[in-house]
Amino acid sequence: MLSPQNLHIAKSSNGTMQHSQDDVLDKVMNAIVSTNEDMIVTGWNKSAEQLYGWQKEEVIGQRLQGLVPSIYVNSDRSQVIDILEDGETWQGEIIQSNKHGKTVHVLASSSKMIDSSGVPQGFITITHDITEKQTIETKLQQSHKRFELIYDHLPLMLISFSQSGSIVQVNQQTILDTGYQPSEMINHQFEAFLIDEDKSRFRKHLDEHIT
């Protein structure tokens, strides 16, 4: 992901440099948003328009938080501001809402902007949309929970073990039928619960089908 450290803010006596900079930022695939120190939007590239649904002319001069409500994952807004005010770069995940109320998940990198004279000009944030990735992960988590529910409630003894034969999971029916609690079985060798005549057969099964 593009980093704010790669972007340099310079003052110019005319608009030529600013127009050139805007043209470059509009070609960047990541959304790039700049604000002054009061969090009023001063820059908004094409990718930001696509991600958030707001056109540039709609947002310039507006307060960012009112346009893009944000929830910081594993952090909060005041902590982020403190980091930026100290001149450091903040990076993390944010859950946001676009113009149409749709939730978007982004990875963000924010820094304080300093002009060529060393004067603070505000803040710049570069975001990478990870909504699709988060959606896939959520579906996988939901699928895993459904599997766990079915596994645990099937009226059959189910015991899962690793390649080495160590028990990693048992279901409720196994607990009822054997009288063992999960803590007494998990991380123990499965063959320790077998009668002697079945141990060699189990070991042969492991050798043929797993190892």
Side-chain angles (χ1 to χ4, degrees), residues 172-188:
Q172 288 296 319
Q173 193 64 47
T174 299
I175 297 170
L176 292 173
D177 289 352
T178 65
Y180 288 105
Q181 292 300 308
S183 59
E184 297 177 285
M185 302 183 72
I186 291 174
N187 295 325
H188 293 277

Side-chain angles (χ1 to χ4, degrees), residues 20-72:
S20 175
Q21 186 180 73
D22 288 345
D23 289 343
V24 171
L25 296 184
D26 280 340
K27 291 180 172 63
V28 176
M29 297 299 293
N30 298 105
I32 301 177
V33 176
S34 58
T35 69
N36 64 17
E37 293 188 285
D38 294 322
M39 294 297 172
I40 302 300
V41 178
T42 57
W44 191 268
N45 74 341
K46 293 290 186 183
S47 292
E49 291 183 342
Q50 295 169 4
L51 179 60
Y52 298 118
W54 296 97
Q55 297 301 302
K56 183 176 181 178
E57 57 269 20
E58 296 180 284
V59 302
I60 298 299
Q62 302 296 318
R63 187 170 294 278
L64 179 61
Q65 191 64 17
L67 297 168
V68 186
S70 301
I71 299 173
Y72 293 86

Side-chain angles (χ1 to χ4, degrees), residues 48-131:
E49 291 183 342
Q50 295 169 4
L51 179 60
Y52 298 118
W54 296 97
Q55 297 301 302
K56 183 176 181 178
E57 57 269 20
E58 296 180 284
V59 302
I60 298 299
Q62 302 296 318
R63 187 170 294 278
L64 179 61
Q65 191 64 17
L67 297 168
V68 186
S70 301
I71 299 173
Y72 293 86
V73 178
N74 300 322
S75 188
D76 62 51
R77 188 171 181 272
S78 61
Q79 291 176 323
V80 173
I81 295 298
D82 288 343
I83 291 171
L84 297 179
E85 290 290 0
D86 288 340
E88 300 178 12
T89 295
W90 178 85
Q91 294 181 324
E93 183 179 342
I94 310 176
I95 301 172
Q96 300 177 311
S97 297
N98 68 9
K99 180 179 181 180
H100 308 293
K102 179 183 176 182
T103 298
V104 293
H105 294 255
V106 301
L107 284 179
S109 182
S110 301
S111 291
K112 184 179 253 187
M113 291 190 297
I114 307 294
D115 69 13
S116 57
S117 300
V119 178
Q121 297 294 302
F123 306 98
I124 186 166
T125 298
I126 301 172
T127 57
H128 176 65
D129 186 6
I130 59 169
T131 305

